Amino acid sequence: MWFRHFLLVVAQCLLLLPYSAAHANTGEERELMKMLQSVQIAAKKTSYSGTFVYQQGNQIRTSRITHGFDGETEVEKLEILDAKPREYIRRDGEVSCYLPESKLIQVEKNLSQEEFPALLNQNVHLLPESYLIKKAQMSRVAGVECQVINFQPKDSLRYGFRLCVEKNSGLLLGMQTLNPRSEVIEQIAFTQVSLGEVDKPKLKPSFGNVSQWRVENMTVQANVNSGWIVKNLPNGFKKTLETKRFIPISGNASGTDANQTKSHQVVQMMFSDGLSTISVFIEPNSGSRTEGSLQQGAMTIMGKRLGENWLTVVGEVPNAAIKQVINSIQFKK
């Protein structure tokens, strides 16, 4: 999930779309849609802190999150607790990644949260098109009572899900991804969580003297029309994001003078059915790369050459969905 991937956090602004009555014919469906919309609101407007564990295949990663909202500004700090230390701090649409080993801060603007626990995006009202959604039993996550909601896919191009939503605030506390045999292939959940006001110092970098660190601004053009299209998307998936990134590459990396910096352009498109996401990355085909795919838990990554370009498709969907997408990417002038 933290691969989703590429640079820091990628997504469009988290918007709460109006509820469409066309997708809710029963009282239970209306109640479920209202609950899912509350998950969107809670992830943005609830102040909370906690530690969560993400299990993907045989990999387990632990992170600590602190989220504050004062009625106007949303600030979030994510600390990666395994392997090399790093922190992400998001203030509304600006994300700063702190890399202490290199004393570097990478900054991206015009981005917002679309990671745990803000997984449901602006297409939440479309979920009934792709899933049978049912309320299940009450459960507990990290000692907190929550409502279980099951998502059964209507086709083979997406996985099933089991969400656990805190009954009062609507905050998402845990999520499991299920294969067609109802086996858990990926899961993420809080192991400790506290709801309520957080201390403002906890939303600042944990490292000292960051004012002397080097700052690298990652140029991002949002809402672009690059000319690239996916002609054959799985049913229910809609484009939610298209950006163009200009990633600086030092001269050392390309064999040129160390004082020179080149810009490496990457086009990214993101598609979602409201819960599952597929990301497409298009960049110049440089260096020696091997076409193929990689599966890790629910995550599938596939790479392919197309003329002078290299395509990478990443998604927490079955291999067939990724293959369908990557084989239908075209450039349309």
Side-chain angles (χ1 to χ4, degrees):
M1 193 154 314
W2 298 111
F3 180 85
R4 225 184 249 182
H5 163 42
F6 214 49
L7 291 169
L8 304 174
V9 200
V10 287
Q12 216 176 10
C13 292
L14 186 64
L15 300 175
L16 176 62
L17 293 190
Y19 166 67
S20 172
H23 295 299
N25 299 318
T26 68
E28 182 181 358
E29 288 178 347
R30 285 192 293 270
E31 181 185 355
L32 282 169
M33 292 306 298
K34 185 177 179 180
M35 185 179 299
L36 294 175
Q37 289 175 339
S38 75
V39 174
Q40 287 183 303
I41 298 172
K44 179 179 179 66
K45 296 188 176 182
T46 301
S47 293
Y48 59 88
S49 62
T51 302
F52 63 87
V53 172
Y54 172 46
Q55 181 178 1
Q56 182 188 58
N58 58 3
Q59 294 186 0
I60 298 177
R61 305 173 206 170
T62 307
S63 302
R64 181 164 50 236
I65 189 169
T66 306
H67 182 274
F69 182 73
D70 62 7
E72 294 182 2
T73 303
E74 184 184 7
V75 183
E76 180 177 281
K77 174 181 173 183
L78 176 70
E79 303 169 72
I80 309 301
L81 302 181
D82 302 322
K84 294 182 179 180
R86 61 196 185 282
E87 294 181 359
Y88 300 90
I89 295 181
R90 180 175 60 87
R91 182 178 294 273
D92 289 335
E94 180 176 296
V95 179
S96 299
C97 175
Y98 293 81
L99 304 169
E101 283 194 336
S102 53
K103 289 183 168 49
L104 173 67
I105 307 172
Q106 293 180 324
V107 180
E108 283 198 64
K109 298 181 179 180
N110 302 317
L111 301 176
S112 74
Q113 183 188 35
E114 202 170 79
E115 297 293 345
F116 181 80
L119 293 171
L120 297 183
N121 59 39
Q122 71 271 19
N123 286 335
V124 66
H125 65 296
L126 299 178
L127 284 169
E129 295 182 9
S130 305
Y131 303 91
L132 295 172
I133 309 172
K134 293 184 178 180
K135 186 191 294 186
Q137 74 282 359
M138 298 294 293
S139 185
R140 289 203 313 157
V141 170
V144 179
E145 194 171 9
C146 56
Q147 173 66 58
V148 177
I149 305 175
N150 291 327
F151 292 77
Q152 181 180 343
K154 292 184 176 181
D155 59 32
S156 60
L157 297 179
R158 68 204 85 219
Y159 293 117
F161 296 93
R162 184 181 296 126
L163 274 59
C164 212
V165 179
E166 203 275 321
K167 63 175 185 177
N168 295 318
S169 67
L171 186 68
L172 181 65
L173 298 181
M175 172 178 170
Q176 294 179 327
T177 306
L178 311 173
N179 66 15
R181 297 183 296 277
S182 296
E183 298 168 339
V184 177
I185 56 174
E186 187 171 296
Q187 57 186 330
I188 184 169
F190 279 106
T191 56
Q192 178 275 325
V193 63
S194 298
L195 303 180
E197 292 299 319
V198 298
D199 295 334
K200 289 186 178 180
K202 293 184 178 179
L203 293 168
K204 296 181 179 180
S206 304
F207 315 109
N209 299 320
V210 295
S211 61
Q212 300 179 19
W213 289 17
R214 183 166 59 93
V215 177
E216 188 175 82
N217 288 298
M218 315 298 288
T219 305
V220 180
Q221 295 178 0
N223 303 316
V224 302
N225 184 3
S226 65
W228 289 95
I229 61 172
V230 178
K231 293 202 67 174
N232 189 19
L233 280 169
N235 291 335
F237 280 86
K238 311 293 182 184
K239 185 165 73 172
T240 62
L241 172 76
E242 184 169 2
T243 65
K244 188 179 292 184
R245 284 183 169 82
F246 296 89
I247 306 169
I249 301 176
S250 64
N252 287 335
S254 56
T256 59
D257 187 270
N259 295 322
Q260 294 181 354
T261 299
K262 290 189 175 182
S263 185
H264 180 72
Q265 178 181 297
V266 180
V267 171
Q268 181 191 1
M269 296 182 286
M270 180 179 284
F271 306 89
S272 172
D273 64 4
L275 187 54
S276 299
T277 61
I278 299 174
S279 290
V280 174
F281 300 95
I282 302 158
E283 58 187 313
N285 180 25
S286 58
S288 56
R289 305 196 191 191
T290 303
E291 295 186 359
S293 63
L294 172 67
Q295 184 84 32
Q296 179 69 39
M299 181 74 72
T300 303
I301 306 167
M302 190 172 293
K304 177 182 177 181
R305 289 184 189 84
L306 183 62
E308 296 181 353
N309 299 284
W310 181 264
L311 313 178
T312 304
V313 181
V314 181
E316 291 174 321
V317 292
N319 186 278
I322 299 294
K323 188 174 182 180
Q324 178 175 315
V325 168
I326 203 168
N327 288 335
S328 65
I329 297 173
Q330 299 179 8
F331 183 77
K332 190 174 183 180
K333 294 184 180 179

